[in-house]
């Protein structure tokens, strides 16, 4: 059975999408079968995986409205296939912004992604969901179907503050809607060890959250930032870059983690 993870943090620009696409590519590289779901109307994870969001005929929006199944709506990226790092992509574009409103009155709205994934569950080891920068209906939909949440965070002064809202939301979803849900871990991203404050916040995180903090640390690395403009994850764009190596390590850490879940 596939393990389902949301990559979430309501703060914008903290590295959710970079984490989602590079973890997906890293997992594919070490032989895992992955479905990547873009749950953000910005469609960055879609574009960053080499799929043009503007030309997509079916997206997660159609799956949420039950107009299409995942088997019908998922696509592959030629660039990822060519690199030998392929994963399936359920894309998103602006259409998804409307889902927020359209889903307000429908039944089982928080269960729709879960039901859709169940139909393809046996085809994957991992399902990774890239969430938008909010604790909106879309993020809730993601949390309702997930086994765990991966929280990318920068080791900055206000990082811990934002975490409280997210942790409370996860607790509520766990209590009311999805008893499977747990925080799998906090992933330190864009890390620069030369900055003392980052080291201090990193230590605080470890003291406070213990083994919920992943061992792998993702360094700040410009190659990861350059990769999206080529329509591939950094892991594919420049496999030997420090950031890419770290994401493949993180993929291996995730494979180990799910053995204990
Ligand atoms: P949003 O909240 O808008 O969805 P996000 O949390 O998905 O944003 P990303 O888009 O992944 O964040 O990253 C924000 C910016 O930081 C991007 O320009 C990305 O290329 C860059 N970035 C992410 N991780 C790294 C890293 N480890 N090193 C250098 N740049 C990074
Ligand atoms: Mg994003």
């Amino acid at each position: 059975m596939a393990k389902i993870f949301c990559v979430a943090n309501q703060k914008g620009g903290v590295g959710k999408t970079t984490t989602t696409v590079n973890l997906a590519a890293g997992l594919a590289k070490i032989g895992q079968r992955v479905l990547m779901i873009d749950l953000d109307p910005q469609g960055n994870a879609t574009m960053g995986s080499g799929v043009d969001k503007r030309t997509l005929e079916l997206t997660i929006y159609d799956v949420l409205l039950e107009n299409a199944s995942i088997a019908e709506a998922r696509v592959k990226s030629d660039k990822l296939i060519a690199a030998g790092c392929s994963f399936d992509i359920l894309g998103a574009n602006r259409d998804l912004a409307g889902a927020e409103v359209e889903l307000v009155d429908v039944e089982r709205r928080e269960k729709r992604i879960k039901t859709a994934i169940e139909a393809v569950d046996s085809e994957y080891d991992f399902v990774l969901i890239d969430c938008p920068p909010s604790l909106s209906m879309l993020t809730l939909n993601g949390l309702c179907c997930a086994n765990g949440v991966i929280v990318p965070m920068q080791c900055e002064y206000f990082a811990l503050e934002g975490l409280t809202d997210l942790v409370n939301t996860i607790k509520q979803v766990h209590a009311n809607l999805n008893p499977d849900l747990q925080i799998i871990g906090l992933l330190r991203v864009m890390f620069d060890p030369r900055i003392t404050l980052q080291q201090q916040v990193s230590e605080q995180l470890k003291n406070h959250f213990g083994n919920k903090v992943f061992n792998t640390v993702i360094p700040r690395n410009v190659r990861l930032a350059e990769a999206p403009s080529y329509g591939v994850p950094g892991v594919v764009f420049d496999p030997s870059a420090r950031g890419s190596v770290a994401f493949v390590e993180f993929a291996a850490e995730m494979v180990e983690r799910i053995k204990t879940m």
Side-chain angles (χ1 to χ4, degrees):
M1 239 176 60
K3 289 285 181 214
I4 305 167
F5 297 100
C6 281
V7 180
N9 188 330
Q10 78 278 22
K11 240 182 127 176
V14 292
K16 293 179 287 296
T17 301
T18 305
T19 298
T20 310
V21 299
N22 282 287
L23 176 57
L27 286 166
K29 194 168 180 161
I30 59 175
Q32 300 292 304
R33 301 167 303 162
V34 182
L35 170 66
M36 195 279 295
I37 300 180
D38 191 348
L39 198 53
D40 185 346
Q42 295 181 97
N44 293 344
T46 305
M47 298 294 278
S49 304
V51 173
D52 188 344
K53 63 183 176 184
R54 292 157 299 199
T55 60
L56 273 178
E57 282 178 22
L58 295 170
T59 65
I60 179 67
Y61 172 74
D62 300 282
V63 173
L64 273 167
L65 294 187
E66 297 182 333
N67 292 334
S69 66
I70 291 181
E72 289 163 335
R74 68 188 165 192
V75 294
K76 286 185 189 294
S77 153
D78 293 336
K79 289 178 188 169
L80 295 181
I81 293 171
C85 255
S86 185
F87 52 87
D88 286 357
I89 299 150
L90 179 53
N93 54 32
R94 291 303 322 166
D95 292 346
L96 185 57
E100 205 75 57
V101 177
E102 288 166 66
L103 283 172
V104 165
D105 283 331
V106 305
E107 279 174 49
R108 302 173 292 104
R109 60 173 189 256
E110 70 284 348
K111 296 273 193 249
R112 289 192 169 196
I113 301 179
K114 189 180 173 78
T115 311
I117 292 175
E118 273 162 11
V120 292
D121 188 59
S122 62
E123 297 176 48
Y124 300 104
D125 301 302
F126 285 87
V127 178
L128 301 179
I129 304 176
D130 186 33
C131 291
S134 65
L135 295 173
S136 61
M137 178 73 206
L138 286 170
T139 300
L140 268 184
N141 257 282
L143 295 177
C144 283
C145 71
N147 300 107
V149 189
I150 297 168
V151 184
M153 53 187 304
Q154 288 170 257
C155 290
E156 287 173 350
Y157 186 66
F158 288 117
L160 284 166
E161 207 163 293
L163 214 51
T164 316
D165 291 335
L166 181 60
V167 169
N168 286 338
T169 302
I170 291 169
K171 278 185 185 155
Q172 275 177 23
V173 173
H174 173 84
N176 301 313
L177 295 161
N178 176 9
D180 285 343
L181 187 67
Q182 47 175 306
I183 287 204
I184 289 305
L186 304 175
L187 178 66
R188 292 162 285 171
V189 298
M190 299 191 220
F191 193 74
D192 186 343
R194 292 166 304 182
I195 301 176
T196 313
L197 176 66
Q198 294 211 1
Q199 283 180 351
Q200 287 168 347
V201 175
S202 173
E203 282 309 307
Q204 274 178 6
L205 278 180
K206 279 197 284 188
N207 292 338
H208 200 266
F209 291 97
N211 64 5
K212 293 273 185 209
V213 182
F214 288 110
N215 293 327
T216 312
V217 177
I218 310 297
R220 183 171 284 283
N221 179 203
V222 70
R223 301 300 269 171
L224 292 175
E226 288 168 352
S229 61
Y230 297 86
V232 284
V235 165
V236 170
F237 175 58
D238 185 352
S240 62
R242 283 184 314 123
S244 306
V245 171
F247 271 116
V248 177
E249 269 173 38
F250 179 47
E253 188 175 354
M254 282 301 295
V255 170
E256 284 306 307
R257 274 280 171 128
I258 65 164
K259 289 180 185 162
T260 62
M261 284 175 72

